[in-house]
Amino acid sequence: MPLSESRILYIDDDEGLCRLAKRHLERMGCKLTYALSGAEGIELARATPFDLVALDHIMPGMGGLETLELLMALPSPPGVIYVTGSDETGVAVAALKAGAVDYVVKTGSGDFFELLTSTLHQAAATLRLRQQKEQVEQQLRETNAQLEALLHEMNHRVANSLQMVSSLVSLQSRRAAGQEARAMLQDVRHRIQAIGRIHRQLYTGESFHAVNMRDYLEGMARDLAGTFSSENIRRSIKVMAQDASLPAATAVTLGVLVNELVSNACKYAYGREESGEVRICFDLEGEDGYHLRVEDDGVGLGENHSPQGTGLGSQIITAMARSLGAKHSFSSDGKGLQVDIYRAPSASKQTEAAAG
């Protein structure tokens, strides 16, 4: 607000100086109240909030710095202009550190009132900018809270919708005519569940934008182990992953990859009557790189290195890895299969890390 509309308090034990200051400011259209001690000034400030306070340093009883401390402790602290002598620069610095907006040097000439008025004008402008900044920041906080609530609701609804689709696919698989059709529908269901788990974690976790990969992979491992295990045949799926987070879009793609790799291992690595273990390993590489490995101790690739099943899983793995900008490789030493998905950290990130 302009200085003429500001509520101004002058605290100084020199009543004559207070009257002169009041007369000078009122000629300029300003309203000024004065107090002749720090204690009186604090009482006035508690009863009537002031926008600006000019505060003298040397006063009997409660000094300026002590009065300043009490002013700053008010629910809505005013902008304080600290008034010092010409040889009290250190005091002025202490006042600024304690919360004063500015300071002015008291002189015995009429220039003091001109300087005081100019400083009050600057302080009023500073306070106005500060208030505007606080208003903008509050609006941003409110907008951010609204966006987070909308994102929370969106993830909730997407997760529920995917769960419903997964249930419908499961029902359809039970009605499918052949074993192959039922297996294909179950594969579709697992892919939907891999994506749905991401959205569930987004709306139940602490972050709306990132997914904790260890928690996500452990949850997926439990689901897949339950699907591919029976009372007599157990598929043990172990997770060895860093407690690290990735953006949701990246986590979704990696989740689909893990689903395909683990499902293939559970179905083809071991015999129908044979229990077996599948391991999921995940580590970050720098800030934006990572290494995913899924391995088993089963039959390996075989002599022709051709995928078992329909081959759709291999196509999905290739497409998903390409979309991530990652390399993928298959290796087998005759017993067991290891599939690696590797994305190197970007050159810019490596350069920043080296520079740091």
Side-chain angles (χ1 to χ4, degrees), residues 104-132:
V104 62
V105 176
K106 183 190 292 187
T107 64
S109 66
D111 293 343
F112 167 68
F113 300 109
E114 296 292 340
L115 184 58
L116 176 63
T117 303
S118 175
T119 306
L120 287 169
H121 270 294
Q122 293 175 11
T126 299
L127 290 177
R128 183 166 61 251
L129 290 174
R130 184 183 298 173
Q131 291 170 353
Q132 291 172 350

Side-chain angles (χ1 to χ4, degrees), residues 275-296:
S275 295
E277 181 180 275
V278 180
R279 294 176 292 279
I280 306 169
C281 307
F282 180 82
D283 293 293
L284 288 181
E285 298 280 346
E287 291 188 19
D288 62 344
Y290 42 81
H291 183 191
L292 169 68
R293 167 175 282 194
V294 176
E295 58 186 20
D296 61 68

